[in-house]
Structure formats: structure tokens, C-alpha cells
């Protein structure tokens, strides 16, 4: 059940996800290069695939950051009504 204070007290973890993705991006790029130079194509491929996943996640995170808080209602929106029969 909502208390009504969520729009004003909610915090997003997008900045933390952004920096963790950047950290992962750096490590997967270094890992891909290191394993490729060491002659380990399987590990290099695994790091390369992980690099693609992290890049896609980073694109989604940046898109959400640029969209801003449009998905959160303002303080003038009343809280949801409690369910009629909560014990079902």
C-alpha cells in the first residue's frame, strides 16, 4: 500500500548503475584484450559478449537518465486507495 510520500522520497539508483556499468565496461575491455593477447580465444569471446551486454545496459541507463523523472507522479497526485479485500 502506498503512503503517498513515494513521489517526494523516492530515489533512483541510475547513477550508481551508470558508474558500475562504466567500471564493468573498462574491465571487460581490458579482459578481452588481455585474453586475446594471451592466446585464450574462449575467454576473450566470453569477455567480448559480456562487454556487449554491459554496453546495451549502459545505453538503457543513459536513456533513462536523459528521460528524467517523468514516470513519477507529482505531490499533487493522491495515493492509491487500499485494496477492497486485502486478505484474498
Amino acid at each position: 500500500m502506498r503512503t503517498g510520500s513515494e513521489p517526494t522520497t523516492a530515489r533512483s539508483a541510475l547513477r550508481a548503475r551508470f558508474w558500475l556499468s562504466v567500471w564493468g565496461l573498462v574491465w571487460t575491455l581490458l579482459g578481452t584484450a588481455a585474453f586475446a593477447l594471451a592466446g585464450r580465444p574462449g575467454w576473450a569471446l566470453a569477455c567480448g559478449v559480456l562487454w556487449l551486454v554491459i554496453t546495451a545496459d549502459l545505453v538503457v541507463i543513459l536513456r533513462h537518465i536523459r528521460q528524467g523523472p517523468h514516470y513519477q507522479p507529482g505531490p499533487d497526485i493522491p495515493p492509491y486507495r487500499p485494496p477492497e479485500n486485502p486478505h484474498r
Side-chain angles (χ1 to χ4, degrees), residues 28-84:
T28 54
L29 286 172
L30 291 174
T32 303
F35 284 124
L37 291 173
R40 301 284 195 141
W43 284 104
L45 179 65
C47 283
V49 169
L50 190 57
W51 172 71
L52 290 175
V53 170
I54 291 172
T55 302
D57 186 43
L58 195 57
V59 168
V60 170
I61 291 168
L62 288 173
R63 180 176 174 265
H64 287 174
I65 288 173
R66 286 190 186 130
Q67 285 178 344
H70 74 282
Y71 54 88
Q72 294 181 358
D76 56 331
I77 304 296
Y80 297 125
R81 290 184 348 171
E84 297 294 327

